[in-house]
Amino acid sequence: MRDDGFPDDFVWGCSASSYQVEGAIREDERGLSIWDEFSHAKGMIRDGSNGDIACDSYHRYPEDIALLSRLKANAYRFSIAWPRIQAGGRGTPNQKGLDHYSRFVDALLEKNIEPWPTLYHWDLPLELQKKGGWAERDTAYRFAEYAEIMFRCLGSRVKHWTSVNEPWCSAFLGYREGEHAPGLRDPNLAYKSVHHLLLAHGLADQAFRQGGMQGDFGIVVNPATPRPANDSEECRQAAHRASLERTALWFDPVFGRGYPNEYVRACGAQLPIEAGDMDLISLPVDFVGLNYYLEDTVVPALKGPDNPLGYRIVSSGAPKTEMGWEIVPQGLQRLICTIAEEWKPKALYVTENGAAFHDFRSVQGGTEFIHDAGRIAYLRDHLHACRDAIALGAPLKGYFVWSLLDNFEWAWGLAMKFGLVAVDEKTQERIPKDSFAFYRDAIAGSAL
Ligand code: IFM
């Protein structure tokens, strides 16, 4: 154990995803994804931007890896763009896409950085969406086929695989709220998507095990365990109900308990389960990734068609990030410990944590500096919360900052900046912020 309370073999990484950083959307026979279409549709992205170029990491990844190396990060969590591998989401893989990720993985390994690919971080091939996307069962089988292609291509070099990232966002922001691609507003399609995303995860898990792959396979969720606004029984019950869609809906089936009845009944969720599905979904996982940014506070509210779980989010008075998200570092410790106690995963990783803040620039001696004291405080406090969770016995094995670079923040566009490193939108120059030096020191063991 290090003096700062982190285990010697702790994983220190940064996270990113393909559509948010790669750009090069029409290169090397990449097909279009639902986000290419969505980001170009009028009014869907707040600042009118899109991911056509993003950070140009498809070309500039050597620079990104050099930055990770300067941090002395020992892991990089990135995602593979499915439409680069199968332009239309099925059939013969595109060799150019495979070669790209193969070169990328080699370049990471050369710098002693473990590649942590996610197979699905939201860029579904558009062709599959035209056939119904995640609301269609076939998409799960297409995903398993694509996962197998990637296991064969990278399996000897990659030791940590993630199936899907934050399936809650894919299902509910994409198919119920209309805020994310494909921009639909139909709860029934969202419930079907929940099941097919989990089935996709289970089928890929099966392919991983049957293919005799070495290493770990897991799922990354953005769970939420909101706080009751006060200690009353009504409030505590409301907080429990508020957590169901983000926690039990995913963890219960993955850990063999089936879908939570309480949620299914309250929402009238029709889940298109077929024989054998729940066995696939509950195949063993080697780890669970948790993405944490905020903790909500809730009070009870009248149940009704628009609010089947009967709760309302209220302000707790905590300070907020630029996204309007309340900053509650101890919420991360509570979340880790709750998941560890309730579902007992073998290993947990904080696979995303970070904050969007306005950065301040100064020029000294001709060099540009970017000051982001808010982000430094946020990261420090959340890392302390991780340390507390470890001290309480949670099997937390690693932490990934979201994100290495300022990038395309989905419906918010390029305006929201989460990076340790700024990216000049015109020149693509990478400029490390003060938080970059902080995280480098935290990794080295001298900042916490
Ligand atoms: O940028 C996203 C990421 O793609 C998924 N998790 C949350 C991040 C910040 O909103």
Side-chain angles (χ1 to χ4, degrees):
M1 189 69 85
R2 304 191 325 189
D3 288 348
D4 63 2
F6 284 93
D8 293 317
D9 59 354
F10 200 65
V11 174
W12 295 93
C14 293
S15 271
S17 86
S18 43
Y19 187 69
Q20 293 179 274
V21 301
E22 283 181 356
I25 61 160
R26 293 188 186 274
E27 234 160 290
D28 289 343
E29 288 146 47
R30 172 189 181 276
L32 290 180
S33 84
I34 52 175
W35 272 94
D36 295 310
E37 184 181 68
F38 187 77
S39 66
H40 280 266
K42 210 163 174 279
M44 294 323 226
I45 310 298
R46 290 176 196 216
D47 66 357
S49 60
N50 56 56
D52 289 7
I53 300 173
C55 309
D56 195 28
S57 289
Y58 189 70
H59 300 113
R60 292 172 196 259
Y61 69 84
E63 288 176 50
D64 301 346
I65 294 175
L67 286 162
L68 290 163
S69 186
R70 271 172 67 186
L71 284 173
K72 293 221 164 31
N74 54 20
Y76 190 47
R77 177 174 174 262
F78 60 97
S79 74
I80 295 165
W82 184 353
R84 288 196 194 280
I85 306 302
Q86 294 175 300
R90 63 178 75 232
T92 316
N94 168 16
Q95 194 56 45
K96 289 181 180 162
L98 294 176
D99 289 347
H100 169 75
Y101 291 109
S102 185
R103 280 192 298 270
F104 182 62
V105 160
D106 283 345
L108 285 167
L109 289 171
E110 210 170 286
K111 298 284 182 199
N112 296 317
I113 302 166
E114 282 289 329
W116 282 61
T118 298
L119 289 161
Y120 185 71
H121 196 129
W122 309 354
D123 39 5
L124 185 75
L126 188 55
E127 288 299 311
L128 292 184
Q129 188 57 47
K130 289 188 181 148
K131 298 199 156 46
W134 287 111
E136 274 303 313
R137 189 173 172 90
D138 185 56
T139 301
Y141 292 104
R142 300 287 65 79
F143 177 80
E145 184 182 279
Y146 149 66
E148 265 190 87
I149 293 169
M150 294 320 303
F151 296 152
R152 275 202 300 276
C153 174
L154 301 177
S156 60
R157 289 167 282 166
V158 165
K159 297 293 163 242
H160 297 90
W161 293 89
T162 293
S163 54
V164 294
N165 176 72
E166 299 183 10
W168 179 86
C169 294
S170 297
F172 291 107
L173 296 183
Y175 290 81
R176 183 180 68 190
E177 312 294 329
E179 271 178 46
H180 277 188
L184 302 175
R185 292 174 192 275
D186 181 340
N188 293 321
L189 294 182
Y191 299 133
K192 286 184 179 161
S193 300
V194 167
H195 185 64
H196 296 143
L197 281 153
L198 281 170
L199 182 61
H201 157 79
L203 287 164
D205 196 340
Q206 182 183 50
F208 186 81
R209 312 286 168 198
Q210 287 182 351
M213 309 307 302
Q214 300 296 308
D216 292 348
F217 184 87
I219 185 168
V220 168
V221 180
N222 57 332
T225 46
R227 299 268 283 169
N230 60 51
D231 221 18
S232 68
E233 182 56 21
E234 294 75 24
C235 246
R236 280 196 277 117
Q237 284 302 323
H240 162 73
R241 290 193 302 276
S243 77
L244 290 172
E245 192 172 280
R246 295 273 292 268
T247 56
L249 183 59
W250 309 97
F251 292 127
D252 274 4
V254 165
F255 287 98
R257 300 183 188 170
Y259 288 107
N261 275 333
E262 189 182 356
Y263 176 85
V264 172
R265 251 186 281 112
C267 296
Q270 306 275 344
L271 295 153
I273 306 169
E274 294 191 10
D277 286 3
M278 301 318 283
D279 292 337
L280 281 166
I281 292 171
S282 58
L283 283 172
V285 283
D286 301 299
F287 69 91
V288 163
L290 308 178
N291 293 352
Y292 176 87
Y293 292 88
L294 70 146
E295 185 186 68
D296 284 325
T297 300
V298 299
V299 293
L302 209 60
K303 289 186 189 169
D306 287 341
N307 191 357
L309 295 166
Y311 71 91
R312 189 162 55 82
I313 295 171
V314 293
S315 165
S316 75
K320 294 179 178 169
T321 68
E322 201 74 7
M323 298 284 285
W325 295 347
E326 289 197 349
I327 303 172
V328 192
Q330 278 314 310
L332 176 55
Q333 176 259 301
R334 285 192 281 273
L335 179 80
I336 295 168
C337 291
T338 302
I339 307 294
E341 272 163 36
E342 179 68 30
W343 288 280
K344 304 201 172 13
K346 283 186 221 154
L348 283 168
Y349 294 87
V350 172
T351 33
E352 287 182 24
N353 176 239
F357 281 113
H358 183 74
D359 300 329
F360 298 91
R361 295 180 180 238
S362 73
V363 178
Q364 289 156 38
T367 307
E368 185 165 19
F369 291 89
I370 303 182
H371 309 295
D372 55 342
R375 182 171 295 103
I376 292 174
Y378 181 100
L379 295 177
R380 177 184 293 120
D381 293 347
H382 285 77
L383 280 163
H384 285 159
C386 289
R387 179 175 63 193
D388 294 347
I390 295 169
L392 287 166
L396 181 68
K397 309 287 182 199
Y399 173 91
F400 294 76
V401 171
W402 184 273
S403 186
L404 178 67
L405 306 175
D406 286 345
N407 60 46
F408 179 75
E409 180 51 29
W410 307 112
W412 295 79
L414 292 165
M416 282 297 161
K417 299 185 186 302
F418 281 82
L420 301 175
V421 177
V423 178
D424 184 301
E425 277 172 40
K426 291 202 184 72
T427 64
Q428 294 292 338
E429 187 193 352
R430 273 85 167 124
I431 310 161
K433 305 178 190 177
D434 290 350
S435 58
F436 180 88
F438 164 78
Y439 193 47
R440 180 200 60 206
D441 294 346
I443 293 173
S446 62
L448 299 168

